Amino acid sequence: AGKADTLEVELEAIRTKSPSHGEYVLPNAVSFYTDPPVPAKHFLGIATGPLEFKDGVGECAIYQSDYISHIVTKYLEHSGQVAPLRGASVPGMDHEIVNIGIGEDEGTIGKLGHHAASLVGALLYLARGSRPEISFVVGILGRRVTSWTSMCDKVLHRLVCYLSASRFDRLVLQGSSGDGFILTQTDADHAGDKSSGRSTSGFVTFIVSPGGERALIGWGSRRQRVTAHSTGEAEIVATAEAVKRSAVPLQGTYEQLQGYCFLAVQGDATV
């Protein structure tokens, strides 16, 4: 994207140093520029659609269709499967997932065990970049990388089939001018992980505009580090983790841009 500039980020202003233009200050800047100005389209496999405005609402999309194609190709090479793959729904709390590593699946050895780290690592980047709906299943597979079983093979195959059929799906972000606020929603199961008896936390974080438009900018799913004794305790742990990992860090960044920021947290633990 042209000659790269040296960027120095400060709290009150952003100064750019360019060999051709010297140094200049952009007070309250929220955009970064290169020399010459070129719109950014890709960032490590993440593509951004054009920013469009309609009736005062801005909208843009984030997607990783090319990156998904790379994952599917890698999977076909390692698994010996033949393209095209059949479509499937996104794996959730179903029989295959909840029984990984227990019962008949305990002690089995999956065929893709030697390639599990590479494939799951690629899926983890995808889940964090633009596909929040696969965060839960990718987290489960990530915990089984060093103890891969035949059920893991089945779950991975179903996940790749789902991604192959939905590779062109986009994460759409919407917003309008004005002072918005941060909304974090949390949830948790209770003892959903049968192998350990621990619960799993989940959260999503939005920037909500005055008109009600939402931009999903943070999400996650993680097995809790403690064993909750009740559903209520699992919900409280999930809320605490979401506030610490997502809401508060984003609030600090938002306050630097807007000067202040309201934070709202929704979940059964806050009712």
Side-chain angles (χ1 to χ4, degrees):
K3 187 181 298 181
D5 294 345
T6 301
L7 298 180
E8 293 183 354
V9 180
E10 299 184 357
L11 295 180
E12 297 181 356
I14 300 178
R15 295 183 174 86
T16 68
K17 293 182 178 180
S18 170
S20 57
H21 296 103
E23 179 178 283
Y24 48 95
V25 180
L26 304 174
N28 300 322
V30 294
S31 301
F32 295 89
Y33 300 91
T34 59
D35 181 17
V38 176
K41 293 185 178 180
H42 294 81
F43 176 72
L44 296 179
I46 301 179
T48 57
L51 178 62
E52 300 177 350
F53 288 91
K54 183 178 180 180
D55 297 329
V57 177
E59 179 178 297
C60 69
I62 301 175
Y63 55 97
Q64 293 177 270
S65 53
D66 292 341
Y67 189 75
I68 293 175
S69 298
H70 170 72
I71 293 176
V72 173
T73 300
K74 180 187 294 187
Y75 172 77
L76 292 174
E77 292 176 353
H78 295 326
S79 66
Q81 297 285 339
V82 179
L85 298 173
R86 298 179 60 183
S89 59
V90 60
M93 288 293 293
D94 49 38
H95 174 77
E96 292 179 345
I97 290 182
V98 299
N99 288 295
I100 286 181
I102 63 175
E104 297 180 358
D105 191 48
E106 185 177 4
T108 61
I109 301 177
K111 297 180 180 179
L112 293 173
H114 294 295
H115 308 289
S118 175
L119 291 170
V120 174
L123 290 168
L124 181 62
Y125 178 70
L126 176 65
R128 291 181 175 178
S130 63
R131 303 299 293 264
E133 78 275 21
I134 69 172
S135 297
F136 174 72
V137 63
V138 172
I140 291 178
L141 292 176
R143 296 196 295 268
R144 308 297 306 187
V145 166
T146 58
S147 55
W148 198 260
T149 66
S150 58
M151 192 68 75
C152 293
D153 284 341
K154 295 180 181 180
V155 173
L156 177 61
H157 177 74
R158 177 178 166 185
L159 177 57
V160 174
C161 287
Y162 165 75
L163 291 173
S164 178
S166 63
R167 71 182 66 191
F168 297 108
D169 287 0
R170 300 185 173 198
L171 178 62
V172 178
L173 311 178
Q174 292 183 328
S176 58
S177 61
D179 297 339
F181 66 94
I182 296 172
L183 171 64
T184 295
Q185 297 175 323
T186 69
D187 198 4
D189 61 14
H190 180 230
D193 186 4
K194 292 185 178 181
S195 62
S196 65
R198 297 182 186 179
S199 306
T200 301
S201 301
F203 73 89
V204 289
T205 298
F206 301 90
I207 291 182
V208 184
S209 300
E213 301 82 12
R214 295 186 177 189
L216 176 61
I217 58 173
W219 58 84
S221 175
R222 175 182 294 185
R223 186 178 65 179
Q224 296 180 0
R225 298 182 179 180
V226 298
T227 302
H229 295 86
S230 64
T231 302
E233 182 179 351
E235 295 282 357
I236 292 174
V237 172
T239 300
E241 290 182 350
V243 170
K244 179 179 66 175
R245 291 178 53 199
S246 180
V248 171
L250 178 60
Q251 183 184 30
T253 302
Y254 206 87
E255 286 177 346
Q256 296 296 332
L257 301 175
Q258 185 173 277
Y260 62 93
C261 176
F262 293 106
L263 172 63
V265 179
Q266 287 183 343
D268 290 343
T270 61
V271 175

